[in-house]
Amino acid sequence: MTAALAGKALLFLGCTALGVLRGQGLRQRAACLQAFRRVLAALARELAFSLRPLDQLMAGAQEGSQGPVADFFQACCQAFTAGGRESWADSWATALEATPLPLTPEDRRLLREAGDVLGRYDGESQRAALEALLARLEDQGAQAQAEAHRLFRVYLALGVAAGLFCLILL
C-alpha cells in the first residue's frame, strides 16, 4: 500500500517537474538573449572607442560572459584559430551551430547577422550595424521574456493536470 502511494506521488511530481522544466527552458531563452545583447552592446562600445583586433575583443567577450554564451564565444575563437584566421563570419556561424544554446531558429538567424558584420567592415560600420542589430535583439528578448512569463504558468498547470490525470487513471 505504501509503495503504491509513493509511486503515485512520484508520478505526480514527475509530471509537474516536466511542466516546470519546459517553463524553465523559456526563461533560459530569454536570459540567453539578454546575455548576447549585453555582450554585443559591449562589443559595439569597444568598436567605437578602441582599435583592438577583433580576436582580442572576442576573447574579452568570452571573459565577460558566462554559461552558454561564454561557451559560444570560446567556440567562436577556437573556430577562428582552427580555420586559419580567415573569416569571423564563418567562425561565428560554426560556433552558432556547434554550441547548444536555448534559442529558436529565429534567434539564431538574428545572431547569425551579427557574425556576418563582424570583421568585414571598418569599425564605425561594424558599430552602426551592431547598434541596429541590438535594437532588434532587444525586441526579440522582450518578446521572449513576455512569452516565458506568460507560458511558465501554463506549462506548470499542464504538468499538474497531467499528474492528476495519471493519478485518476491509477
Side-chain angles (χ1 to χ4, degrees), residues 28-58:
Q28 289 173 349
R29 174 183 171 234
C32 187
L33 286 171
Q34 277 299 96
F36 266 110
R37 189 191 172 300
R38 274 192 313 273
V39 171
L40 290 175
L43 276 175
R45 284 190 304 273
E46 283 282 335
L47 287 169
F49 300 113
S50 173
L51 295 176
R52 290 181 15 196
L54 197 53
D55 56 343
Q56 290 178 5
L57 292 176
M58 288 294 182

Side-chain angles (χ1 to χ4, degrees), residues 18-27 29 104 143-159:
L18 285 175
V20 170
L21 287 174
R22 180 64 176 119
Q24 281 299 101
L26 294 173
R27 288 182 176 175
R29 174 183 171 234
T104 64
Q143 178 188 9
Q145 186 71 28
E147 183 178 316
H149 182 71
R150 179 176 49 90
L151 290 180
F152 182 82
R153 286 184 248 140
V154 171
Y155 286 124
L156 178 61
L158 286 173

Side-chain angles (χ1 to χ4, degrees), residues 80-162:
F80 184 67
T81 304
R85 300 178 166 269
E86 291 183 15
S87 169
W88 272 109
D90 293 341
S91 302
W92 186 277
T94 300
L96 200 54
E97 291 173 10
T99 309
L101 297 167
L103 300 174
T104 64
E106 177 64 24
D107 299 336
R108 289 179 182 274
R109 187 193 59 73
L110 188 61
L111 288 173
R112 190 177 314 271
E113 290 179 24
D116 290 340
V117 169
L118 293 172
R120 290 196 184 212
Y121 308 109
D122 63 293
E124 183 58 31
S125 297
Q126 289 180 68
R127 188 197 60 74
L130 279 178
E131 290 293 332
L133 181 73
L134 284 172
R136 292 174 44 211
L137 198 56
E138 176 74 26
D139 292 341
Q140 193 85 353
Q143 178 188 9
Q145 186 71 28
E147 183 178 316
H149 182 71
R150 179 176 49 90
L151 290 180
F152 182 82
R153 286 184 248 140
V154 171
Y155 286 124
L156 178 61
L158 286 173
V160 169

Side-chain angles (χ1 to χ4, degrees), residues 154-170:
V154 171
Y155 286 124
L156 178 61
L158 286 173
V160 169
L164 290 174
F165 181 73
C166 289
L167 288 179
I168 291 170
L169 286 179
L170 296 176

Side-chain angles (χ1 to χ4, degrees), residues 4-26:
L5 186 60
K8 289 178 182 181
L10 287 175
L11 180 64
F12 174 76
L13 290 174
C15 290
T16 303
L18 285 175
V20 170
L21 287 174
R22 180 64 176 119
Q24 281 299 101
L26 294 173

